[in-house]
Amino acid sequence: MRTLIVLMLLAVLVMAATCYESRESMESHEYFNPFLNRRRANDFIQADTRLRAITQERIRERSKATYEHQRELCEDYYPCEIYAYRHGYPAAYKHYFGRRRTK
């Protein structure tokens, strides 16, 4: 009988220790309202680094030098690329695209 009472008290103490609702968990806003609004949800989620890299690439594309744009345009047009292997990209661009006039 005595061991049963001791085991019962021990079980109650273990249950009280493991099921105790601390004050810190009550301070959490998730206890009362588990859902976050959209603005707060973005506060702790970091933006994806791949998206940041893509954005930086788009910014770099806008600020390229003119000779780099010309070279890329020439690389996309096969006859210009072949001409560029012999005479260089500036001469190839001038030969194929230099006569264009834009308004």
Side-chain angles (χ1 to χ4, degrees):
M1 182 75 172
R2 184 182 255 176
T3 56
L4 184 62
I5 293 174
V6 171
L7 286 175
M8 190 78 109
L9 285 174
L10 187 61
V12 168
L13 287 174
V14 168
M15 188 176 67
T18 56
C19 297
Y20 173 69
E21 187 71 36
S22 70
R23 188 167 166 249
E24 293 171 355
S25 66
M26 296 292 277
E27 290 174 354
S28 160
H29 298 291
E30 296 170 0
Y31 183 76
F32 297 111
N33 187 8
F35 302 106
L36 298 173
N37 65 18
R38 292 177 186 167
R39 292 183 185 174
R40 272 198 69 213
N42 291 331
D43 289 344
F44 62 90
I45 297 175
Q46 296 295 323
D48 193 7
T49 56
R50 286 180 291 139
L51 293 176
R52 191 175 301 133
I54 290 170
T55 305
Q56 290 297 325
E57 180 65 25
R58 297 295 173 250
I59 291 170
R60 273 187 246 120
E61 281 180 4
R62 288 189 207 134
S63 61
K64 286 183 181 175
T66 55
Y67 66 87
E68 201 167 342
H69 282 290
Q70 292 173 357
R71 182 180 179 133
E72 287 178 358
L73 186 63
C74 191
E75 284 176 347
D76 290 340
Y77 186 56
Y78 186 70
C80 183
E81 188 177 14
I82 297 300
Y83 192 89
Y85 286 141
R86 285 193 164 176
H87 304 285
Y89 281 100
Y93 181 82
K94 187 175 181 181
H95 178 49
Y96 284 98
F97 303 106
R99 290 181 285 248
R100 285 188 177 180
R101 296 188 187 228
T102 57
K103 291 184 180 181

